[in-house]
Amino acid sequence: MGDKKEKARKIKPEVLKGFRDYIPAEEIARQKLIAVFREVFESFGYSPLQTPALEKTEVLKGSDYGPDNLATIFAFTGPENVDMALRFEMTASLARFVAGNPDLPLPFRRYQVGPVWRVDKPGPGRFREFTQFDIDSVGTASMLADAEIIAAICRAFENLGQANYHVRYSNRRVLNGLAEFAGISPKEAPEVFASLTSSKNRGWKR
């Protein structure tokens, strides 16, 4: 009797909170946008790299931008009793890849496009799964590398026909210095920065 009741139970066809489906028309538009960025990045000499969605938790927490606690990432214990988590950004995966390939010619110039996941409070235009475009030059301290990345981003927007855009950049060392000057502890700094840079405080919607 219990088995029949279980079979009769209907599953509600809904998406998890903070996630979304992309209908065909939206997905076609997304693919076209991604194709433009790929073409531009490769025209600047950047090579594509794809890394696993899952990384060891210690790899993600070892990032300079890493979370201070597991509550901010989708983490769990997987096969072989390994602590792992869904990537919340791609920088940590890039660092792991470069460290694991010591013979890699430097500077290593790569781009990566793919989904990332964060345990965040969903809101208008804010999801727990979203696509990130990443572009980096590893193994050079030249500011020309930073300027080239900004130029590539600008070119991509121009090729998309978007003339009204702004490029904002920051320096982590400057932010850390400001936090120290303000008497904010290193443990509290990430939360303070997240609050200051939230879409609500910037006065525009994501």
Side-chain angles (χ1 to χ4, degrees):
M1 190 69 177
D3 292 339
K4 291 183 179 180
K5 288 184 177 181
E6 185 66 24
K7 290 180 180 179
R9 185 174 62 89
K10 292 184 178 180
I11 298 175
K12 189 176 181 180
E14 60 180 358
V15 180
L16 287 169
K17 187 176 182 180
F19 294 79
R20 61 168 297 183
D21 292 320
Y22 291 93
I23 62 175
E26 293 174 337
E27 183 57 23
I28 290 172
R30 272 168 38 92
Q31 290 181 10
K32 289 182 178 179
L33 183 147
I34 291 173
V36 169
F37 274 88
R38 288 185 184 278
E39 182 180 6
V40 170
F41 291 165
E42 290 180 7
S43 73
F44 274 78
Y46 291 86
S47 300
L49 175 70
Q50 194 55 257
T51 56
L54 287 169
E55 293 279 1
K56 288 185 176 181
T57 304
E58 61 183 9
V59 169
L60 297 179
K61 288 182 68 66
S63 167
D64 288 340
Y65 304 92
D68 291 325
N69 59 74
L70 297 181
T72 60
I73 60 177
F74 289 96
F76 58 93
T77 300
E80 290 81 48
N81 202 34
V82 176
D83 292 331
M84 57 183 67
L86 285 168
R87 64 190 180 202
F88 66 95
E89 47 89 75
M90 296 175 179
T91 304
S93 297
L94 172 62
R96 188 263 306 151
F97 175 80
V98 173
N101 293 272
D103 297 328
L104 199 66
L106 298 178
F108 177 57
R109 304 162 77 240
R110 81 88 175 88
Y111 74 88
Q112 186 170 352
V113 181
V116 295
W117 299 265
R118 299 182 186 179
V119 180
D120 206 348
K121 184 177 181 181
R126 194 177 187 89
F127 298 92
R128 288 173 172 164
E129 178 186 59
F130 54 94
T131 300
Q132 180 174 329
F133 293 75
D134 214 25
I135 179 171
D136 286 281
S137 290
V138 180
T140 176
S142 174
M143 293 184 66
L144 290 176
D146 296 325
E148 183 181 61
I149 289 174
I150 294 175
I153 294 171
C154 292
R155 178 76 60 80
F157 279 110
E158 290 166 2
N159 287 5
L160 286 169
Q162 300 296 319
N164 185 23
Y165 66 88
H166 296 276
V167 176
R168 292 187 173 95
Y169 63 92
S170 64
N171 187 301
R172 187 70 176 187
R173 293 178 181 176
V174 173
L175 287 175
N176 290 339
L178 289 173
E180 183 179 355
F181 178 79
I184 301 172
S185 70
K187 184 176 181 180
E188 296 174 327
E191 184 176 348
V192 173
F193 293 150
S195 176
L196 291 175
T197 58
S198 68
S199 58
K200 180 179 180 180
N201 290 333
R202 282 198 298 262
W204 57 280
K205 295 182 179 180
R206 297 182 62 179

